[in-house]
Amino acid sequence: MIINNAVPLCVDLDGTLIYSDMLHESTLSMLKVKPFAALRLPGWLLQGKAVLKEKVAAAGDFNPATLPYNQAFVDWLRTQHAQGRRLILCTASDQKIAQRIAEHLQVFDEVMASEGAVNLAGANKADALVQRFGEKGFDYAGNSSADIAVWEHARKAVVVNASATVLQDAESCVEVEQVFAGPNKGIAVWRRVLRMHQWLKNILLFIPLIAAHRIADMDAWLSLLLGFLAFSLCASSVYIANDLLDLESDRAHPRKCQRPFASGSVPVWQGCIAAPILLLASFGIACHVGGSFLPWLVGYFLLTCLYSLKLKQLALVDCLTLALLYTLRILSGAAAVSLSMSFWLLAFSGFLFLSLSFVKRFAELQMQILHNKHKAHGRGYYSSDAPLVQMLGIASGFSAVLVLAMYLNSKEVLLLYRNPEWVWGTVPVMLFWISWMWLRAARGEMHDDPLVFAVKDKASLLAGLVFAILLVAGSVGGMA
């Protein structure tokens, strides 16, 4: 009888050792730095998949320390290695990539990988392992249907992160030594991919209609509901693209590392397909919205792309852009129902959203300080900038309150509200809420997304309720 320690264990990389696929990861890394290299991908692929992997590996870069490893499986491999078992990293990924990962983990005795001539997958991998170790002379850890061809020649199988069908097929052709289940990939994961909670921001489209006291206009509501859906799908498309471009930054972040693409719970290729589909659906729906809504949506999309690619890396410019993106939602809502925007609403929203953008950055810098990091990864801020960001954010928030107070003393208010003295009460409510957000941020209790914090915070919800009640009380009796 052959004991485990005398039989080498050959380990697959993509989907097994890590939850992701290194060809997809390397391609994204390459395109982030050299976007026009996408034009060369078809030519490389025509020369063979091994050539494609070699070219992409040479052009892209990655940090092996931040990859989404299957930690339970890695821990088991470390135990096997400590017991003297010979471990071989055997992968269809390019040799350069496999070697860097092996050097990082320090548990593999040998690396077998694609080297530009042969794509070491499926039958090719099986032939190479049989030639190297003999028929039934090795155990193999894999995860996909392509690994069945290898398990047919292996002594035992270790099934990792595989579907029930793959596990059943493996059990039909080889003795399964160990099974490591994969992460949950239910519908809840896709809610996180789409960031559906962020759709709440698109309620801002309804602000111009409400501010104009046209609540009874059902046609306008229908247009805005379509606009809401269009904006939400567009935003989800951008969020996905942003997550794909930000893989390494997210993985270095203590909370963002749990995002679906960063953690590997959703494959990168699925995001690459979902993003353009969502965008096309968004623009298709926008064509059925009235007014000049579509151009505003296109402008929002282009600005978010510019933000994802470059502007978010620029200190202060990033917060100004975020504030503008919020304000664009209000402008788009006005365009959908052919309403003109008042200077008061634009000024108020601009300062308010700028303050919330600074809250977001301040919370991230607080997290950086907590983890003793000098500079925010992928951002233009240093930890030492936190006091200045805090000061700018508080000043912006109080400026929004000042604009609100000045607006409530204007002629426009007398035309819209029967009892404007009730509406004056919104000023202290807004002053409290801005102060409360920054107080929680200063205490290190702010979520790095102020929206997520606000919808879960009882004080914020109560302030919103009181604000709405005061507006309704001021409107009793209709327009003067």
Side-chain angles (χ1 to χ4, degrees), residues 418-431:
R418 173 73 66 178
N419 301 303
E421 61 274 11
W422 282 99
V423 187
W424 296 343
T426 60
V427 173
V429 173
M430 183 59 65
L431 191 60

Side-chain angles (χ1 to χ4, degrees), residues 65-83:
T66 63
L67 291 174
Y69 292 99
N70 186 333
Q71 199 55 53
F73 181 54
V74 171
D75 292 341
W76 183 76
L77 289 177
R78 294 191 188 281
T79 302
Q80 296 291 303
H81 179 70
Q83 293 175 354

